[in-house]
Amino acid sequence: MNDAHWHLVVNHFPIIGGILGLGILIVGLVLKNSTVKNTAYILFVVAAIFAFVSMATGEAAEELVEDMPNLGHQIIHEHEELAEKLALLLYGTAFFSLLSMYTDVEKHKYAKTISIVTLLLAIGSSVVGTFVGNSGGEIRHTEIRENGTNAVPSKESVTTDNHKE
Protein backbone atom coordinates (compact mmCIF):
# COMPACT_ATOMS: atom_id res chain seq x y z
CA MET A 1 0.00 0.00 0.00
CA ASN A 2 1.26 3.44 -0.88
CA ASP A 3 0.84 6.67 1.09
CA ALA A 4 -2.25 7.69 -0.87
CA HIS A 5 -3.91 4.43 0.14
CA TRP A 6 -2.88 4.86 3.80
CA HIS A 7 -4.19 8.43 3.69
CA LEU A 8 -7.56 7.20 2.45
CA VAL A 9 -7.64 4.52 5.15
CA VAL A 10 -6.99 6.86 8.09
CA ASN A 11 -8.43 10.20 7.00
CA HIS A 12 -12.06 9.42 7.79
CA PHE A 13 -11.58 8.71 11.47
CA PRO A 14 -10.61 12.24 12.62
CA ILE A 15 -13.80 13.57 11.04
CA ILE A 16 -16.18 10.80 12.09
CA GLY A 17 -14.50 10.37 15.48
CA GLY A 18 -14.83 14.08 16.17
CA ILE A 19 -18.52 14.13 15.25
CA LEU A 20 -19.28 10.99 17.28
CA GLY A 21 -17.29 12.38 20.21
CA LEU A 22 -19.28 15.60 20.04
CA GLY A 23 -22.57 13.73 20.25
CA ILE A 24 -21.34 11.58 23.12
CA LEU A 25 -19.99 14.62 24.98
CA ILE A 26 -23.29 16.45 24.65
CA VAL A 27 -25.11 13.42 26.09
CA GLY A 28 -22.56 13.18 28.91
CA LEU A 29 -22.92 16.85 29.77
CA VAL A 30 -26.73 16.71 29.70
CA LEU A 31 -26.81 13.56 31.84
CA LYS A 32 -23.94 14.82 34.02
CA ASN A 33 -22.36 11.40 33.58
CA SER A 34 -18.57 11.31 33.93
CA THR A 35 -18.24 7.91 32.26
CA VAL A 36 -20.04 9.09 29.13
CA LYS A 37 -18.02 12.32 29.07
CA ASN A 38 -14.77 10.38 29.49
CA THR A 39 -15.75 8.16 26.56
CA ALA A 40 -16.04 11.29 24.42
CA TYR A 41 -12.74 12.63 25.70
CA ILE A 42 -10.94 9.42 24.83
CA LEU A 43 -12.55 9.45 21.39
CA PHE A 44 -11.23 12.99 20.84
CA VAL A 45 -7.71 11.87 21.76
CA VAL A 46 -7.92 8.94 19.35
CA ALA A 47 -9.29 11.24 16.63
CA ALA A 48 -6.31 13.57 17.15
CA ILE A 49 -3.90 10.65 16.82
CA PHE A 50 -5.55 9.67 13.54
CA ALA A 51 -5.39 13.32 12.44
CA PHE A 52 -1.63 13.22 13.00
CA VAL A 53 -1.33 10.05 10.90
CA SER A 54 -3.56 11.54 8.23
CA MET A 55 -1.41 14.65 8.07
CA ALA A 56 1.73 12.51 7.93
CA THR A 57 0.43 10.59 4.91
CA GLY A 58 -1.24 13.56 3.22
CA GLU A 59 1.84 15.15 1.70
CA ALA A 60 2.97 11.93 0.05
CA ALA A 61 -0.58 11.28 -1.15
CA GLU A 62 -0.60 14.75 -2.70
CA GLU A 63 2.61 14.00 -4.58
CA LEU A 64 1.03 10.86 -6.05
CA VAL A 65 -2.18 12.50 -7.31
CA GLU A 66 -1.41 16.16 -8.04
CA ASP A 67 -0.51 15.59 -11.69
CA MET A 68 -3.48 13.36 -12.50
CA PRO A 69 -5.97 14.52 -15.15
CA ASN A 70 -8.94 16.57 -13.86
CA LEU A 71 -7.11 17.56 -10.70
CA GLY A 72 -5.88 21.02 -10.01
CA HIS A 73 -3.30 22.14 -7.53
CA GLN A 74 -5.81 24.66 -6.14
CA ILE A 75 -8.35 22.06 -5.01
CA ILE A 76 -5.63 20.00 -3.32
CA HIS A 77 -4.17 23.12 -1.70
CA GLU A 78 -7.59 24.12 -0.31
CA HIS A 79 -8.03 20.62 1.15
CA GLU A 80 -4.56 20.74 2.68
CA GLU A 81 -5.17 24.15 4.29
CA LEU A 82 -8.48 23.02 5.80
CA ALA A 83 -6.92 19.76 7.00
CA GLU A 84 -4.18 21.69 8.80
CA LYS A 85 -6.81 23.76 10.60
CA LEU A 86 -8.73 20.62 11.54
CA ALA A 87 -5.60 18.94 12.87
CA LEU A 88 -4.84 21.94 15.11
CA LEU A 89 -8.43 21.99 16.37
CA LEU A 90 -8.31 18.26 17.09
CA TYR A 91 -4.97 18.59 18.90
CA GLY A 92 -6.50 21.35 21.03
CA THR A 93 -9.62 19.28 21.62
CA ALA A 94 -7.48 16.31 22.67
CA PHE A 95 -5.44 18.48 25.06
CA PHE A 96 -8.57 19.91 26.67
CA SER A 97 -10.10 16.42 26.76
CA LEU A 98 -7.20 15.18 28.84
CA LEU A 99 -7.45 18.28 31.00
CA SER A 100 -11.21 17.72 31.35
CA MET A 101 -10.70 14.14 32.49
CA TYR A 102 -8.08 15.23 35.01
CA THR A 103 -10.12 18.10 36.45
CA ASP A 104 -13.23 15.92 36.61
CA VAL A 105 -11.40 13.20 38.56
CA GLU A 106 -9.83 15.80 40.87
CA LYS A 107 -13.21 17.53 41.33
CA HIS A 108 -11.52 20.79 40.39
CA LYS A 109 -13.63 23.94 40.56
CA TYR A 110 -12.94 24.67 36.86
CA ALA A 111 -13.90 21.17 35.66
CA LYS A 112 -17.21 22.32 34.15
CA THR A 113 -15.60 25.35 32.46
CA ILE A 114 -12.89 23.19 30.91
CA SER A 115 -15.55 20.73 29.73
CA ILE A 116 -17.37 23.61 28.02
CA VAL A 117 -14.12 24.69 26.32
CA THR A 118 -13.69 21.10 25.13
CA LEU A 119 -17.27 21.14 23.85
CA LEU A 120 -16.67 24.37 21.91
CA LEU A 121 -13.48 22.98 20.38
CA ALA A 122 -15.35 19.80 19.47
CA ILE A 123 -18.06 21.84 17.75
CA GLY A 124 -15.40 23.73 15.81
CA SER A 125 -13.66 20.47 14.91
CA SER A 126 -16.90 18.96 13.67
CA VAL A 127 -17.72 21.98 11.51
CA VAL A 128 -14.24 22.23 10.02
CA GLY A 129 -14.15 18.43 9.67
CA THR A 130 -17.19 18.47 7.39
CA PHE A 131 -15.46 21.02 5.16
CA VAL A 132 -12.27 18.95 5.12
CA GLY A 133 -14.18 15.81 4.22
CA ASN A 134 -16.06 17.58 1.46
CA SER A 135 -12.93 19.17 -0.01
CA GLY A 136 -11.13 15.82 0.13
CA GLY A 137 -14.01 14.13 -1.64
CA GLU A 138 -13.96 16.77 -4.35
CA ILE A 139 -10.38 15.85 -5.23
CA ARG A 140 -11.34 12.57 -6.88
CA HIS A 141 -15.14 12.86 -7.03
CA THR A 142 -15.63 15.57 -9.60
CA GLU A 143 -19.39 14.94 -9.57
CA ILE A 144 -19.70 16.58 -6.13
CA ARG A 145 -17.87 19.77 -7.05
CA GLU A 146 -20.06 22.85 -7.11
CA ASN A 147 -18.48 24.07 -10.30
CA GLY A 148 -16.09 22.60 -12.80
CA THR A 149 -13.65 25.49 -12.64
CA ASN A 150 -11.63 23.76 -9.94
CA ALA A 151 -10.68 20.97 -12.30
CA VAL A 152 -7.93 21.14 -14.87
CA PRO A 153 -9.19 19.56 -18.10
CA SER A 154 -7.32 16.51 -19.28
CA LYS A 155 -5.50 16.55 -22.61
CA GLU A 156 -8.04 14.10 -24.02
CA SER A 157 -11.03 16.30 -23.18
CA VAL A 158 -9.38 19.39 -24.69
CA THR A 159 -8.56 17.46 -27.86
CA THR A 160 -12.08 16.00 -28.03
CA ASP A 161 -13.68 19.43 -27.47
CA ASN A 162 -11.58 20.98 -30.23
CA HIS A 163 -12.60 18.28 -32.71
CA LYS A 164 -16.31 18.85 -32.02
CA GLU A 165 -16.17 22.34 -33.53
Side-chain angles (χ1 to χ4, degrees):
M1 289 187 351
N2 62 27
D3 283 329
H5 192 179
W6 279 114
H7 185 69
L8 291 172
V9 168
V10 300
N11 71 9
H12 295 90
F13 196 83
I15 298 167
I16 295 167
I19 293 169
L20 287 174
L22 174 61
I24 293 168
L25 181 56
I26 290 170
V27 170
L29 289 170
V30 169
L31 298 177
K32 297 179 181 170
N33 185 314
S34 292
T35 303
V36 175
K37 289 187 292 187
N38 287 340
T39 301
Y41 298 144
I42 291 168
L43 195 51
F44 292 137
V45 171
V46 172
I49 292 167
F50 273 89
F52 179 82
V53 175
S54 187
M55 293 299 295
T57 59
E59 193 66 37
E62 176 185 3
E63 296 299 319
L64 290 169
V65 301
E66 68 184 345
D67 293 325
M68 289 179 147
N70 294 326
L71 289 181
H73 291 279
Q74 183 62 32
I75 197 165
I76 294 172
H77 178 72
E78 288 173 16
H79 175 64
E80 183 179 12
E81 292 295 314
L82 285 168
E84 289 170 354
K85 288 175 178 62
L86 175 60
L88 290 174
L89 277 168
L90 285 171
Y91 301 154
T93 305
F95 173 79
F96 274 91
S97 291
L98 294 172
L99 193 58
S100 292
M101 283 192 289
Y102 175 77
T103 57
D104 192 47
V105 167
E106 295 294 319
K107 306 292 185 214
H108 196 276
K109 66 180 180 177
Y110 292 115
K112 184 169 180 148
T113 302
I114 294 170
S115 291
I116 297 301
V117 171
T118 305
L119 174 67
L120 294 173
L121 286 167
I123 291 168
S125 297
S126 295
V127 170
V128 173
T130 59
F131 292 123
V132 171
N134 191 54
S135 68
E138 287 177 352
I139 291 173
R140 292 298 289 156
H141 295 281
T142 57
E143 71 276 10
I144 67 170
R145 294 181 190 168
E146 287 188 26
N147 59 41
T149 59
N150 290 334
V152 176
S154 66
K155 292 177 185 175
E156 294 81 23
S157 67
V158 171
T159 306
T160 305
D161 288 345
N162 290 338
H163 290 283
K164 289 180 181 177
E165 294 176 11

